[in-house]
Amino acid sequence: MDRFQSMAVFTRVVASGSLSKAGRELGMSPAGVSHHLRALEDWLGARLLNRTTRRLSLTEVGTGFHARCVRILEEVEEARSAVDALQATPRGLLRVNAPITFGMRHLSPAIADYLAAHPEMAIDIALSDRRVDLLEEGIDVAIRIGVLADSSLVARRLAPSRSVLCAAPAYVERFGSPSSPADLVHHQCLEYTYRSTPGEWRFVGPEGKEESVSIRGRLTATNGELLRIAALRGLGLTLAPTFIVGEDLAAGRLVCLMPGYEPAEVAIHAVYPQGRHLSAKVRSFVDFLAARFGKEPEWDRPPRRTSSSRSGGGRRGA
């Protein structure tokens, strides 16, 4: 039996002067109240109350024990209130993991604004494109982009992540523009190592049918920013998220290819270990990111398209 509950029942009985009245106040039957009192007396090996048909009175042992019970229960309540305060106000150290490019471009300014709004918070962030084990590495929150693997982690969608097939204008001028996924076999494709389907790019065609193609290229990398720079230098085509190449598309440094064939949209999630009680620091940080990025993130602007005059199937790649 829960001894703290039994102690609370005991102090209520003393305060009310009656087992039946204490039971009504606690929503408990008189038999249940008696059970708690007997359990305490058996545990202590001493009688706490003198009981007659008319009144209850504390024994000498009961008087001393009652005073200590009152003090202990007050301290327990103070401890619970302190925990509630910690849960209500974000404070302490939050350990975060995120992909490198997204972390540098978009999470970094978000964290600066979050810390400005929460002066009792501190953040330790590790940027890595590999998928870390949150429990093993002591991570509170991780930002994950793409299809989530089955796990016991809790996932909160933060924003959509839309990818585009693009290349530098100089590359298109030299090697042409693919008009369908089948044309990609004639092009240098810059490949991201951690893609969920390595060596394969998938698109949804004009009629809503999914098409996949095996791609080839001379450059594979674990980081999207490196592939962006390679694409800007004209080394090939890249299938990149708009949070990496959105500004380049808007400025015309990269052009969007294969109108009508869209890469499948995925999402940006915050994931964190499952727990019965979500801490205030995790909740506030995830809520902040969800509100900041939202359904239409700032990086997701309509890209420029190449003209159809260059979409003649493409000459052989570099």
Side-chain angles (χ1 to χ4, degrees), residues 1 6 30-40:
M1 181 170 288
S6 296
V33 173
S34 294
H35 185 55
H36 278 284
L37 293 177
R38 283 196 303 272
L40 274 181

Side-chain angles (χ1 to χ4, degrees), residues 177-215:
S177 173
S179 59
S180 71
D183 293 335
L184 294 178
V185 298
H186 303 304
H187 288 270
Q188 285 290 325
C189 298
L190 307 171
E191 175 66 336
Y192 180 60
T193 305
Y194 296 136
R195 192 177 302 280
S196 59
T197 55
E200 181 182 70
W201 286 355
R202 296 179 178 178
F203 302 87
V204 177
E207 297 180 0
K209 181 180 178 182
E210 184 176 285
E211 296 186 34
S212 62
V213 60
S214 296
I215 53 93

Side-chain angles (χ1 to χ4, degrees), residues 84 86-90 94 114 118 121 140-141 156 272 276-290:
D84 286 345
L86 285 173
Q87 288 290 93
T89 304
L94 187 72
Y114 175 81
H118 298 85
M121 283 294 302
D140 296 305
V141 181
R156 168 87 177 272
Y272 45 89
R276 193 174 165 197
H277 300 290
L278 183 61
S279 69
K281 62 183 181 180
V282 171
R283 181 188 299 110
S284 69
F285 183 67
V286 173
D287 286 347
F288 179 87
L289 295 183

Side-chain angles (χ1 to χ4, degrees), residues 22 56 58 67 80 88-89 107 115 138 169 171 205 213 220 241 277 301 303 313 318:
L56 296 174
L58 286 166
R80 188 192 67 79
T89 304
L107 193 59
L115 290 176
Y171 179 93
V213 60
T220 301
H277 300 290
R301 300 185 180 92

Side-chain angles (χ1 to χ4, degrees), residues 222-245:
T222 61
N223 178 254
E225 182 68 18
L226 189 151
L227 297 177
R228 166 186 168 266
I229 294 171
L232 288 170
R233 297 293 295 272
L235 294 184
L237 315 179
T238 182
L239 186 61
T242 52
F243 68 75
I244 294 179
V245 298

Side-chain angles (χ1 to χ4, degrees), residues 126-149:
L127 298 181
S128 172
D129 285 335
R130 68 180 179 88
R131 186 152 292 195
V132 304
D133 186 313
L134 273 65
L135 296 177
E136 184 177 316
E137 301 193 27
I139 300 297
D140 296 305
V141 181
I143 306 303
R144 300 232 166 123
I145 302 169
V147 179
L148 296 177

Side-chain angles (χ1 to χ4, degrees), residues 40-176:
L40 274 181
E41 291 177 334
D42 291 345
W43 176 54
L44 294 168
R47 180 179 290 276
L48 298 173
L49 293 167
N50 292 314
R51 311 173 209 184
T52 68
T53 56
R54 294 188 176 182
R55 63 188 295 271
L56 296 174
S57 63
L58 286 166
T59 65
E60 183 179 358
V61 171
T63 299
F65 185 68
H66 175 260
R68 286 170 174 79
C69 283
V70 171
R71 186 164 62 250
I72 289 169
L73 292 172
E74 286 176 349
E75 290 177 354
V76 169
E77 180 60 25
E78 289 175 3
R80 188 192 67 79
S81 297
V83 170
D84 286 345
L86 285 173
Q87 288 290 93
T89 304
R91 57 166 58 90
L93 176 65
L94 187 72
R95 298 194 66 202
V96 179
N97 170 260
I100 296 171
T101 303
F102 184 80
M104 293 294 293
R105 285 175 168 261
H106 304 290
L107 193 59
S108 177
I111 285 175
D113 291 343
Y114 175 81
L115 290 176
H118 298 85
E120 295 186 63
M121 283 294 302
I123 289 179
D124 178 1
I125 182 164
L127 298 181
S128 172
D129 285 335
R130 68 180 179 88
R131 186 152 292 195
V132 304
D133 186 313
L134 273 65
L135 296 177
E136 184 177 316
E137 301 193 27
I139 300 297
D140 296 305
V141 181
I143 306 303
R144 300 232 166 123
I145 302 169
V147 179
L148 296 177
D150 291 336
S151 75
S152 61
L153 299 174
V154 178
R156 168 87 177 272
R157 181 185 173 102
L158 301 178
S161 177
R162 188 172 64 88
S163 291
V164 292
L165 180 68
C166 56
Y171 179 93
V172 176
E173 181 68 27
R174 184 178 178 188
F175 300 108

